Amino acid sequence: MRNLEIVPFEGGFAERAALLLAESHADGGAGRPAGVLDLADPDVARRLVAEWQGSGPGVAAVRDGRLTGFMAATVSRLPGEQWARIRLPQYACGRHERRATWRSLYGALSGRLAGIGAYDHAVEVPAYDRETVSCFFELGFGIDQVRGFCPVTGQEAPAGPPRGTRLRAARADDLAPMFELAVELQRFHTAAPVLRPALSDLRPIREALSAALTDAAQLLLVAEEDGRLTGLVQAAADARHSGAATIGLAVVAASSRSTGVGTALVAAVGEWAAGRGFDAYGAEWSSANPVSDAFWRGRGMVPARFKLRRLIDSRVAWAEERLDYGHFG
C-alpha cells in the first residue's frame, strides 16, 4: 500500500467515486437476484453518491493524487442516537488490494465516528461479494439483517390458507388488532437468541399501518379466523431496488405459526407483485431469528444483501484517561 494516503472525502472526488462504485459492482450481475438496484450503472451511481454527501463523515484513499477508494457514513441527527450507517453507495475501491484498502478506510472512518459519539456501526454488503463480507468480519462486524428477493415467476402454487382462515384486505377497524400483532412481534425479538430490545416508541409502526390503509399503491392484507386476526402482511414498491416490491411488515400470531397462514400471506404478496408488473419481491429479516430465517429462505428468498453490525463499547471515550501505568515503572 505504498503511497496510499487517507484524507477527508471532498466534493471534488464525487465523479471518480461514482465511477469506482459502478466498477466495483460490475462483476456482480451473475450473483445478483432479480430486483436489486443496478449500481453498475454509472448514472445510478452518480445520483446515489450525490445523495449521501453531507450526511456524515467520509474518507478517501488517494494514491499519487488519484482516488482509489472511499468510505462514508450517514449518522443520526437526533440527540442521544449513536448509530452510523455505511450503505452500499457509500463505499467502493479499485480491484487491487481491496482488503488492505477497506481496512485503511474503515480504520480512519471508525475513529471519526467514535469521535462524534457514533458507536453503533452498520454496513450493507452484497451477499455475493464474499471477499468484502470476509473483510468486514475481520474488522469485528457480524451479520445482523438479511435482505432477500424472490422472483414472481417460477414459484410453485401454494396451498390456500388453513381451513377456517380467510385472507382479506385490511379495514380501518383492524388497526388496533394489527398493532397488537406488531407489538407481539417486537416482544418475540426480545427473547433468545435474537435478544433485541423492544422499541420504546411504536408510533412509527402505528403511523405506517394507518398510511397503508388508505394508500392504493400498497398492499395490506390480514388473515382472519373466527373474527380474530391471526396474521398480517404489508407490501409496497421498494424504494431502493428497481422492479421489486418489498414486504415491510409480516406477522403471524404465535398461536397460528406453522399452520400455513404465513405461507398464504406471502403467496398473496407474490400474486399482487406480479399483477403490478414487478419482477421480484423481497423481505428483510434478522439473521439470528431461527423462525424467520427458516421461513423466508423456505419461501424462496435468495439473500442479496447483508447488514453487518459492530457495537463499540462507548467507554473508549473516557477509559484511557483512567489508565495509570506508574506502578509498572
Side-chain angles (χ1 to χ4, degrees):
M1 296 295 287
R2 292 178 299 173
N3 303 321
L4 186 73
E5 184 181 7
I6 305 298
V7 300
F9 188 93
E10 302 173 355
F13 292 138
E15 177 61 21
R16 176 58 182 159
L19 294 177
L20 275 175
L21 179 63
E23 291 168 7
S24 68
H25 288 271
D27 295 335
R32 187 169 52 238
V36 177
L37 187 64
D38 188 8
L39 294 175
D41 183 330
D43 289 333
V44 173
R46 288 187 184 95
R47 173 174 59 83
L48 295 175
V49 167
E51 287 179 358
W52 59 251
Q53 288 186 66
S55 62
V59 292
V62 179
R63 178 181 286 110
D64 298 328
R66 180 177 175 81
L67 183 75
T68 61
F70 68 93
M71 186 177 293
T74 296
V75 297
S76 174
R77 302 299 183 185
L78 297 176
E81 292 282 359
Q82 297 183 332
W83 59 259
R85 301 291 180 259
I86 305 169
R87 297 184 170 89
L88 282 179
Q90 293 180 283
Y91 68 101
C93 73
R95 299 177 184 274
H96 303 292
E97 299 182 320
R98 296 178 73 205
R99 177 178 178 273
T101 301
W102 292 144
R103 294 176 73 88
S104 296
L105 286 168
Y106 181 70
L109 182 62
S110 61
R112 296 187 65 182
L113 292 173
I116 61 175
Y119 302 111
D120 181 353
H121 300 177
V123 58
E124 294 178 350
V125 181
Y128 52 80
D129 189 349
R130 308 309 299 176
E131 181 183 7
T132 300
V133 171
S134 295
C135 180
F136 279 105
F137 281 173
E138 293 171 355
L139 288 167
F141 286 80
I143 296 180
D144 181 39
Q145 299 285 313
V146 182
R147 166 73 73 170
F149 286 91
C150 179
V152 298
T153 58
Q155 300 296 306
E156 296 183 5
R163 185 184 298 274
T165 298
R166 70 184 182 109
L167 305 187
R168 61 169 175 80
R171 304 185 301 253
D173 59 352
D174 294 321
L175 185 58
M178 286 193 299
F179 184 72
E180 290 175 3
L181 284 173
V183 171
E184 179 181 326
L185 179 63
Q186 293 294 326
R187 289 174 175 160
F188 177 75
H189 284 156
T190 67
V194 182
L195 297 172
R196 188 184 305 275
L199 294 174
S200 58
D201 184 2
L202 294 173
R203 287 177 298 177
I205 294 178
R206 184 186 296 274
E207 291 169 358
L209 289 171
S210 298
L213 279 170
T214 58
D215 187 352
Q218 296 192 47
L219 174 72
L220 185 58
L221 287 180
V222 297
E224 183 181 49
E225 180 182 4
D226 296 329
R228 179 178 65 92
L229 296 194
T230 59
L232 71 90
V233 68
Q234 175 270 331
D238 195 300
R240 300 181 60 204
H241 298 81
S242 59
T246 190
I247 296 173
L249 183 62
V251 190
V252 174
S255 59
S256 297
R257 291 186 192 135
S258 301
T259 64
V261 171
T263 298
L265 287 168
V266 173
V269 173
E271 295 176 2
W272 175 83
R276 291 295 182 103
F278 292 109
D279 298 320
Y281 59 100
E284 185 169 296
W285 64 91
S286 172
S287 177
N289 185 335
V291 175
S292 62
D293 188 71
F295 176 82
W296 291 115
R297 291 176 187 267
R299 305 287 84 72
M301 294 286 177
V302 177
R305 187 180 76 231
F306 297 135
K307 185 175 83 172
L308 310 182
R309 191 177 184 192
R310 181 187 183 210
L311 293 174
I312 299 172
D313 191 329
S314 62
R315 290 176 294 181
V316 299
W318 54 262
E320 184 178 357
E321 299 176 0
R322 299 192 178 186
L323 291 177
D324 181 6
Y325 302 99
H327 63 283
F328 288 106

